[in-house]
Amino acid sequence: MVAHAPLRPRAVRLFRLLGRPGFHFFLTGLLMVLGFVLAHRLSERTGRDQLSALSTERLELYASNLAAELGRHASLPSLLAIAPTLQALMQAPGDETARRAASQMLARVNVRAGTHQIFVATPQGEVLAASETLSPPPRLAEAVAQGRVHFFAADPSTGSTDFYLLHPLRQGGQSNGVIVVRFNLAPLEATWVDLGLRSQGERILVADEQDVVIMSSVQAWKYAVLDHADPSRRKALEASARYPQAIGRDLELPVTLEVHQGQQVSLTLPGASRARPMLAQQRQILPLGLRLVALSDLTEVHQRAQYAAWGGAAFGASIGLLSLYLSSRRKALRQLTQAQSALRQAHGQLEQLVDSRTAELRQTNDALKTQIAQRLQTEGELLQASKLAVLGQMSAGLSHEVNQPLTALRALARNSIRLLETGRADAVAANLQIMDDMVERMSRITRQLKSFARKADDEVTGTVSLLDCVRNALLLLDHRSRVMDLHTDVDIPAGLQVHAEANRLEQVLVNLFGNAMDAMQHEPVRRLRVQAMPLDGGRRALVRVQDSGPGVSEADLPHLFEPFFTTKPAGEGLGLGLVISAKIVHEFGGTLRAQRLADGEHGMSFEFDLAAQSWEDADV
Ligand code: ADP
């Protein structure tokens, strides 16, 4: 656990690095370079190996070809040495006949053997007999003195290299002459040129022990000295005078070359402006002291390596870009997954929120329902209380209403007794009639009170006469209206039937009339006007109650229908009358509104609408 701890941040850093596009571009670049280098090296090595194998095979072929060609007549000089004609010549070197006979024999052998020239010379180099009249090679005497059996020399007349085989002629155990067989290597060289042309620009050269190119498929290289031969060797070369053309000409080819693997060299071919890479391989032909060098052009191998390198770079780039693509895809997928989980989380939170809000709403709803129920109960109680309040208010007037007729009734009864005692039956009858009227009036008042105090049913099922209700309400307040000398103006069609419950409608009217009377109490003109007008084509009726009081202030107007809003002194007003009245009108399907009178009039106007059924006798 502890051992892994430091790795963690490093792994995180590496992970972050892998996610960066910059890293992938760097990786792509790196892979391109790697691909380039590796493909180049691989292709070059393979191409070079193939070329080297091919070249080795050819080199073997050329070497065996050359060895066979030069070894073909190796025994010819020794065979000729025992020829009697030449023996005779050696015995008499100055004899012209012997010389001619020897020359003729040598000419025949030369033709038969296919050699270039055969001649016999003294150890000093003087030609005694020859198959052809060709000049002898330079420094022949030196070669004879050195005891050489063969050597190479350039033929200045043909420009090609000749191979000389030497064999001493002995007379009495002493060497007094030499037999020389001369081969011209030009035809063999010509086949090499031909082969070289057919083998993708392969060049062949043969260098002798002095590092002079004595044969080559490239004519310009002939008699050049390999790799700047050192001055002592150069001097020796000049002294030998075997290759006059070699003087001052160098070939930039190393003297020592890797025998098997081959070595890359850079050579400028004749006619070319630039040096080109070549694979040089060599093989020694030891008995002849020669080195055979094959030079294969590497340009094509390099070109192929170049193509392979670009291919490798493209491969590296595609791997890098693939990694970039995969990384960005992985990143996009990760972001998508993150977004999905965030969405899921948000969805979950939203659902939770909705659930909690729903629960809150349900609670609020329940609380509201409870409040409404409580309110309804309170309102019902208030309605009843308001009735009781009205009843209380009326009790004073009621006692006056009842006491007055009672007093009158007592007076009339006493008066009637006295009239009966005096026998005035007519007057008694008149008194009784008055008394009956009074009783009737009293019973009407009590009837109203009874109906008013009863708790009303909620449902409005029938219709009532609006005029009757107005009259009843006025009757209930009659004592007050008489005291204050109220002028009442009722303008309601007698047949107008409205959808309402008489008892509650009268309660509304009593409220409105009572308020109007309160307001006009101290006014000089006290006029109450009650009107009914058709609305909606007669389907509804607008009931309007106007007074000539001071009205309410603009500021108080919006508060009239608020519970417990009152301007009356304490003990006189509860501030419930209009609230209850508005509620009752609402139960009847109408709306109660208040407005101040304008246009010169002053006072208040309260109006409400009710469904109307019959406008008989009304001007619709
Ligand atoms: P209360 O009569 O017990 O005060 P109401 O709800 O019936 O309660 O009336 C509320 C208030 O409205 C009254 O105190 C009064 O100020 C005002 N008001 C009602 N009717 C009139 C009116 N006709 N003229 C002037 N003010 C009125």
Side-chain angles (χ1 to χ4, degrees), residues 393 511-520 545-547 549-552 556 559-562 564-568 572-581 603-606:
Q393 281 177 6
N511 242 317
L512 295 179
F513 298 161
N515 279 343
M517 287 174 190
D518 288 343
M520 291 184 292
V545 179
Q546 278 184 16
D547 64 63
V552 292
D556 287 345
H559 305 291
L560 289 188
F561 295 97
E562 289 173 7
F564 305 107
F565 175 80
T566 179
T567 57
K568 293 172 191 170
E572 284 185 32
L574 281 172
L576 291 172
L578 286 179
V579 182
I580 292 164
S581 301
M604 282 297 288
S605 167
F606 287 84

Side-chain angles (χ1 to χ4, degrees), residues 237-308:
L237 187 69
E238 283 170 18
S240 75
R242 274 194 281 156
Y243 311 108
Q245 302 98 316
I247 295 161
R249 289 181 60 212
D250 288 334
L251 183 63
E252 292 164 354
L253 195 66
V255 175
T256 47
L257 288 169
E258 287 239 1
V259 180
H260 297 296
Q261 291 295 317
Q263 184 177 332
Q264 186 174 326
V265 294
S266 185
L267 273 179
T268 313
L269 288 173
S273 57
R274 279 193 304 139
R276 58 171 66 191
M278 304 206 99
L279 182 71
Q281 282 177 296
Q282 73 166 21
R283 193 184 182 287
Q284 303 271 4
I285 307 174
L286 287 172
L288 296 170
L290 297 179
R291 275 191 297 152
L292 189 64
V293 179
L295 292 153
S296 312
D297 200 340
L298 280 169
T299 314
E300 204 177 318
V301 171
H302 283 187
Q303 216 161 38
R304 259 184 279 151
Q306 205 78 15
Y307 293 146

Side-chain angles (χ1 to χ4, degrees), residues 358-564:
T358 311
E360 277 174 26
L361 272 174
R362 207 171 288 127
Q363 274 178 4
T364 315
N365 202 20
D366 290 347
L368 270 173
K369 273 183 188 165
T370 318
Q371 276 183 13
I372 288 169
Q374 285 172 352
R375 186 100 176 243
L376 282 173
Q377 194 186 348
T378 314
E379 275 179 5
E381 285 167 4
L382 277 174
L383 191 66
Q384 198 59 18
S386 145
K387 280 182 186 177
L388 293 172
V390 172
L391 276 175
Q393 281 177 6
M394 284 189 310
S395 59
L398 192 67
S399 63
H400 172 75
E401 282 297 320
V402 177
N403 280 340
Q404 205 186 21
L406 277 177
T407 315
L409 276 174
R410 191 163 42 186
L412 283 168
R414 282 180 189 159
N415 189 14
S416 298
I417 291 168
R418 271 198 297 276
L419 285 172
L420 273 175
E421 283 170 357
T422 56
R424 288 176 61 187
D426 297 347
V428 171
N431 271 358
L432 283 172
Q433 186 56 50
I434 294 166
M435 285 165 74
D436 185 48
D437 287 351
M438 283 179 167
V439 169
E440 174 54 31
R441 183 182 162 86
M442 278 171 24
S443 70
R444 239 167 57 204
I445 289 170
T446 50
R447 244 197 340 263
Q448 287 299 325
L449 276 173
K450 203 172 138 196
S451 75
F452 190 82
R454 182 169 53 89
K455 197 169 181 184
D457 298 330
D458 285 344
E459 274 302 301
V460 178
T461 47
T463 57
V464 288
S465 162
L466 179 65
L467 186 59
D468 286 352
C469 288
V470 169
R471 280 189 182 145
N472 286 339
L474 284 172
L475 190 67
L476 282 169
L477 298 166
D478 189 41
H479 64 287
R480 286 191 67 189
S481 58
R482 266 187 282 133
V483 168
M484 65 188 289
D485 190 19
L486 180 73
H487 176 74
T488 313
D489 178 6
V490 178
D491 181 12
I492 293 169
L496 175 58
Q497 293 285 319
V498 289
H499 276 272
E501 198 257 314
N503 192 15
R504 284 187 279 166
L505 181 56
E506 280 167 24
Q507 188 178 350
V508 173
L509 292 168
V510 166
N511 242 317
L512 295 179
F513 298 161
N515 279 343
M517 287 174 190
D518 288 343
M520 291 184 292
Q521 218 163 11
H522 307 294
E523 291 299 306
V525 179
R526 293 179 283 274
R527 196 182 68 242
L528 180 70
R529 200 162 175 205
V530 189
Q531 291 170 282
M533 286 154 285
L535 270 184
D536 196 12
R539 279 190 286 276
R540 296 187 74 78
L542 182 74
V543 185
R544 184 177 288 156
V545 179
Q546 278 184 16
D547 64 63
S548 57
V552 292
S553 67
E554 195 73 50
D556 287 345
L557 194 62
H559 305 291
L560 289 188
F561 295 97
E562 289 173 7
F564 305 107

